[in-house]
Amino acid sequence: EAEVAQSPRYKITEKSQAVAFWCDPISGHATLYWYRQILGQGPELLVQFQDESVVDDSQLPKDRFSAERLKGVDSTLKIQPAELGDSAMYLCASSTGRRNIQYFGAGTRLSVL
Amino acid sequence: ELKVEQNPLFLSMQEGKNYTIYCNYSTTSDRLYWYRQDPGKSLESLFVLLSNGAVKQEGRLMASLDTKARLSTLHITAAVHDLSATYFCAVDYLSGTYKYIFGTGTRLKVLA
């Protein structure tokens, strides 16, 4: 069964350092999402791609976060510099189109010290 | 402010009992999603409800949608321990593009 791949699974970093997360969606899925989930809360959408284009990044803290999906396949989310408040699970999801079922990856748990 | 609220936030129930989780949302939406999340794991899609009055069932779980009341319910029948997890509802709404909001989550613990 096809899955959304994410790496790394865990990342520990010190504040002010740069971190990057990678996501490979299910083959053929045009829509890709990055979410942040703080412990005990629901996921919060950070950015949504349709193919290689950003269709929504209204919740992305653009002063420190960036996301790209250059060839419309895999994607990278970067934080620079990381802050203590960025500690969370970062989830990637993909779907065949907007408004369709989203399939989530296992996530990257980030701890900022 | 757009909100998706679930209640209860925490639910501890005995095996074999029935219970309902409620999801209220404050925006106009004709589509609602239910997900399950096990501790430390990712989210798994349970149901997509596509229109007013939609009802879907899978095993001991049944979800329904009332778009006029902006309410969805997730009913658990004869709970078993394996249903212990956190359940999230989510809605999408149109604001330029379709945006996605998750609910607060309901942490369910089924006691043997």
Side-chain angles (χ1 to χ4, degrees):
Chain A
E1 185 177 318
E3 293 182 346
V4 176
Q6 287 189 248
S7 67
R9 290 294 309 279
Y10 304 92
K11 179 69 178 179
I12 300 174
T13 191
E14 294 183 347
K15 64 179 181 178
S16 79
Q17 296 298 304
V19 292
F21 314 130
W22 177 79
C23 172
D24 191 13
I26 294 172
S27 178
H29 281 198
T31 311
L32 185 146
Y33 310 81
W34 282 102
Y35 291 89
R36 176 172 59 189
Q37 185 178 26
I38 295 170
L39 192 63
Q41 298 182 18
E44 172 195 19
L45 181 65
L46 294 174
V47 62
Q48 179 185 165
F49 289 91
Q50 184 67 25
D51 299 310
E52 68 276 7
S53 300
V54 173
V55 296
D56 180 22
D57 63 357
S58 56
Q59 300 300 313
L60 188 71
K62 298 181 187 64
D63 57 335
R64 298 185 299 108
F65 286 64
S66 64
E68 60 183 18
R69 193 184 184 197
L70 293 176
K71 297 183 178 179
V73 182
D74 58 338
S75 176
T76 303
L77 178 69
K78 297 180 181 178
I79 307 174
Q80 182 174 17
E83 296 181 353
L84 296 177
D86 296 331
S87 295
M89 175 78 90
Y90 290 83
L91 295 164
C92 178
S94 70
S95 66
T96 54
R98 283 174 273 180
R99 310 203 83 194
N100 292 349
I101 292 174
Q102 296 184 27
Y103 296 86
F104 283 80
T108 295
R109 183 167 297 281
L110 173 66
S111 295
V112 182
L113 306 178
Chain B
E1 181 184 348
L2 298 170
K3 288 184 178 179
V4 179
E5 295 181 325
Q6 292 180 231
N7 73 83
L9 297 181
F10 299 96
L11 175 56
S12 180
M13 57 190 297
Q14 296 288 331
E15 276 192 331
K17 299 294 186 182
N18 304 331
Y19 209 84
T20 300
I21 298 170
Y22 297 88
C23 172
N24 290 90
Y25 54 97
S26 64
T27 184
T28 299
S29 177
D30 63 354
R31 191 169 295 201
L32 188 133
Y33 311 78
W34 282 97
Y35 290 87
R36 168 183 172 144
Q37 187 175 37
D38 292 298
K41 306 288 186 179
S42 192
L43 280 81
E44 173 190 357
S45 175
L46 294 174
F47 303 108
V48 181
L49 302 169
L50 300 176
S51 61
N52 185 43
V55 177
K56 288 198 173 179
Q57 182 164 4
E58 179 75 30
R60 302 176 187 273
L61 300 177
M62 184 173 70
S64 66
L65 178 62
D66 181 344
T67 58
K68 295 180 180 178
R70 299 183 180 176
L71 171 68
S72 180
T73 62
L74 181 66
H75 186 73
I76 302 158
T77 302
V80 293
H81 180 70
D82 285 352
L83 290 178
S84 297
T86 299
Y87 293 86
F88 292 98
C89 62
V91 298
D92 61 10
Y93 66 99
L94 187 58
S95 177
T97 186
Y98 279 105
K99 298 179 183 287
Y100 220 68
I101 302 180
F102 275 81
T104 47
T106 296
R107 186 179 300 176
L108 171 65
K109 186 172 184 179
V110 181
L111 305 173

